[in-house]
Amino acid sequence: MPCRSVVVLASVAVACLLASCGATDIPAPRRTVTVTVDAPAASSGGAPATSTPAPTPSATSAAVPTALAVGKQRGAPKSFAEAKGRIDAAKPAASGGAAFRSPSGNIVCRRGAGPAVSCEVREGRIKPPLPTICPEGGAKDIGRIELGAAGARPVCNTDTIRTGSEPALGYGSRTQPSGTTACLSEKTGMTCIDEAGRHGFFIARNSFVTF
């Protein structure tokens, strides 16, 4: 019995000594938190939908980026159906042609056989939402959106479609019917659609949406 008491007392003493030295204050292991980020949806060609636009003087070839949105997007439609509804409800301009501009002159657009519709801003170029949109060796910001049957492409352009002679498309007015494309001029920006591909875009100072 005395021997057992000595062993017990010695165990208690060792435990107290360890506790006083802080040896029992062993920190709990840190939790590891894993964040999973979904990969961009693939386009019909199998490449990520957020790739670079088609060949232009300042862009490289890749899949069409769709459903991009940058800036405040104030007054911007978020879908083809919403954009078409607004355009259909607007009054056609008294006259129109292949080129036109916003009343402020900051946005100029052109309809043609290349891109179905192109619109660019003079001031308020847009920082790309993805680093892959602007190719190396060219402009580092987006100044133009080009729309075709396959979708809307943001372009980091160094050239311009502006001639300075484009007539104004009044706020609240839509372009005259021409093929499958139509555009609506509003104080918040310019909206254009292509009914053949059911795609479109909105562009304004420091902002754009593609759908």
Side-chain angles (χ1 to χ4, degrees), residues 41 49-50 64-70 78-79 129-130 151-152 154 199-200 208-211:
T50 52
V64 175
T66 59
L68 295 175
V70 181
K78 298 300 191 299
S79 67
L130 299 169
H199 289 288
F208 78 81
V209 177
T210 60
F211 43 84

Side-chain angles (χ1 to χ4, degrees), residues 55-82:
T56 70
S58 56
T60 57
S61 176
V64 175
T66 59
L68 295 175
V70 181
K72 294 183 178 180
Q73 307 152 42
R74 187 169 39 225
K78 298 300 191 299
S79 67
F80 172 83
E82 182 183 351

Side-chain angles (χ1 to χ4, degrees), residues 186-200:
E186 297 176 289
K187 290 183 178 180
T188 53
M190 191 76 70
T191 300
C192 295
I193 61 171
D194 178 20
E195 295 192 47
R198 297 183 65 81
H199 289 288

Side-chain angles (χ1 to χ4, degrees), residues 3 22-23 25 34 37 58 70 77 86-87 90 96-97 110 112 116 118 139 150 152 163 168 199 205:
C3 292
D25 298 333
T34 302
V37 179
S58 56
V70 181
R86 287 194 200 179
I87 290 174
R110 187 170 299 275
S118 298
T163 65
H199 289 288
R205 187 190 304 268

